[in-house]
Amino acid sequence: MSRRKTERLLNLVVCLLATRRYLTAEQIRRAVPGYPDSDEAFKRMFERDKEELRELGVPLEVGSDQQGGGGEEIGYRIPPQAYELPEIHLTPDEAAVLGLAARVWQRASMAEAASGALLKLRAAGVETDAPAAVGIEPRVDTQDPAFPALWEAVRDGRPVAFDYQGIGRTSVARRHLEPWGVVSRRGRWYAVGFDRDRDEQRVFRLSRIVGDVAADGPAGSVTVPDGVDVRRIAFDWGEPVSEPRPASVLLRAGAAQGPRRWARDVRPAQDGPGDGEWDEATLTFRDADRFAPYLARFAGDVVVLDPPDLREAVIQHLKSVLAAQQGAAEMDGTVNGR
């Protein structure tokens, strides 16, 4: 099943599970992303989706509601009491595993889409039961673009290839990995596995992966050796301590007082952006990933000239902040635009 279809079916389940009344096909069409504009194409796809849900065991109920759902027009919903699992008794170990999984999944693309579908329903005046959807909303607490592909590769037992930028390096190197697991350590995510290029087990920090993670072999071809504890490997692995490095930055005149306080060699810039006067300064840092968010706080008052990895880290951080703000504005416009 494609990711697009999986997201659409998940959104459909969220809508039908969260509503307290029957939703007509047209209401579903407006609320669930992924359906085509053409009436005929929508009808065909919606019919297939309904059959797919029934085959998956989802209790899809058909009926009408005089109070909503278009009067006598046929509508759909999923009764929560029919969807919910019976009482389950878990051993302490099983409960611990589920608790760990619940902490791992905190922000994923499907969760955002599902939330958007619920927001559209509320904007259209349809009451929703938010807690009913909590049990099926996956979340992953990571902003690393490489996470989904590596997570799927571990799940499928598939080797991968990616470009990796080591600490203090200005260029990337192609790496080939048989992934054994993805682990969170001190707020950062790491991939643990067998490095085919180095012919030994290695740990890679996801934030240092550049570009896409590509499949590099068939599913099921990666086997985790007996006795391997990927979490222990990640926790025992220590990143090399970076030596202090200089960074050349432009500081807008009269602004960016924080960096100015501990900068050295502050001097008028010979050549800077044309939107005001600038100073050039030298700052000292160790880790570009940690230093970039601090510099990004000053937005247009700080411009990184060198080194390239710090400049790129600041740019990517600013892009992620902008994307988050645009997403929030679109959601707010949906609610206020009704």
Side-chain angles (χ1 to χ4, degrees):
M1 186 183 298
S2 69
R3 176 169 179 167
R4 182 178 300 178
K5 183 176 181 180
T6 301
E7 291 182 359
R8 189 179 68 249
L9 289 176
L10 174 62
N11 293 333
L12 180 57
V13 171
V14 169
C15 287
L16 298 179
L17 186 62
T19 182
R20 299 177 183 177
R21 69 191 196 201
Y22 294 99
L23 294 181
T24 67
E26 184 57 33
Q27 287 175 322
I28 293 171
R29 181 181 184 178
R30 292 196 302 265
V32 177
Y35 282 118
D37 295 331
S38 167
D39 292 342
E40 289 301 320
F42 164 71
K43 290 179 181 178
R44 290 194 298 270
M45 184 177 290
F46 184 47
E47 288 299 321
R48 289 196 299 267
D49 286 351
K50 288 190 295 182
E51 289 303 315
E52 187 103 26
L53 291 183
R54 292 188 177 104
E55 291 177 2
L56 292 172
V58 177
L60 187 62
E61 185 177 279
V62 181
S64 62
D65 189 343
Q66 295 291 344
Q67 301 296 322
E72 294 295 336
E73 189 174 352
I74 293 297
Y76 307 87
R77 69 180 181 184
I78 298 174
Q81 64 274 15
Y83 182 85
E84 294 172 353
L85 291 173
E87 184 177 355
I88 299 176
H89 299 282
L90 301 175
T91 66
D93 288 344
E94 292 170 336
V97 171
L98 289 178
L100 177 62
R103 289 195 298 272
V104 168
W105 292 97
Q106 296 231 343
R107 252 195 317 271
S109 57
M110 286 192 294
E112 294 176 2
S115 299
L118 287 179
L119 187 62
K120 289 181 180 180
L121 282 178
R122 298 190 191 104
V126 178
E127 293 184 7
T128 61
D129 186 5
V134 172
I136 60 171
E137 182 177 346
R139 304 178 179 176
V140 178
D141 188 15
T142 176
Q143 297 295 331
D144 296 316
F147 181 91
L150 279 169
W151 182 277
E152 292 174 3
V154 171
R155 179 198 64 194
D156 299 337
R158 186 190 301 274
V160 294
F162 50 82
D163 292 331
Y164 191 75
Q165 186 172 19
I167 295 176
R169 298 181 181 272
T170 57
S171 60
V172 300
R174 194 67 171 173
R175 310 302 289 269
H176 301 81
L177 181 71
E178 297 179 7
W180 298 339
V182 183
V183 179
S184 176
R185 172 176 176 261
R186 296 178 182 174
R188 300 181 183 278
W189 285 89
Y190 300 86
V192 179
F194 181 78
D195 185 343
R196 291 177 172 176
D197 301 292
R198 301 293 187 270
D199 197 30
E200 62 182 359
Q201 72 179 29
R202 284 294 181 94
V203 179
F204 295 91
R205 197 164 91 186
L206 267 59
S207 62
R208 295 193 172 278
I209 295 178
V210 180
D212 295 332
V213 175
D216 194 38
S221 60
V222 174
T223 302
V224 181
D226 293 336
V228 165
D229 186 339
V230 295
R231 189 172 182 81
R232 179 176 295 278
I233 293 173
F235 274 65
D236 289 346
W237 177 76
E239 291 185 278
V241 178
S242 302
E243 293 298 323
R245 290 193 286 158
S248 297
V249 299
L250 293 178
L251 306 176
R252 190 185 298 275
Q257 298 304 319
R260 285 179 181 276
R261 279 196 291 270
W262 54 280
R264 58 185 174 87
D265 300 331
V266 180
R267 58 199 178 278
Q270 298 298 319
D271 185 22
D275 57 344
E277 297 183 359
W278 294 81
D279 296 324
E280 186 171 347
T282 301
L283 303 174
T284 302
F285 75 102
R286 290 179 181 271
D287 190 325
D289 290 337
R290 292 183 180 274
F291 194 43
Y294 170 74
L295 294 180
R297 287 167 47 191
F298 299 94
D301 292 333
V302 174
V303 178
V304 178
L305 301 177
D306 192 67
D309 62 329
L310 177 61
R311 178 180 174 86
E312 181 63 23
V314 172
I315 291 173
Q316 292 303 320
H317 187 82
L318 290 172
K319 286 182 176 180
S320 66
V321 172
L322 179 61
Q325 291 177 340
Q326 289 175 338
E330 290 174 0
M331 297 289 278
D332 183 63
T334 302
V335 173
N336 296 328
R338 298 209 179 188

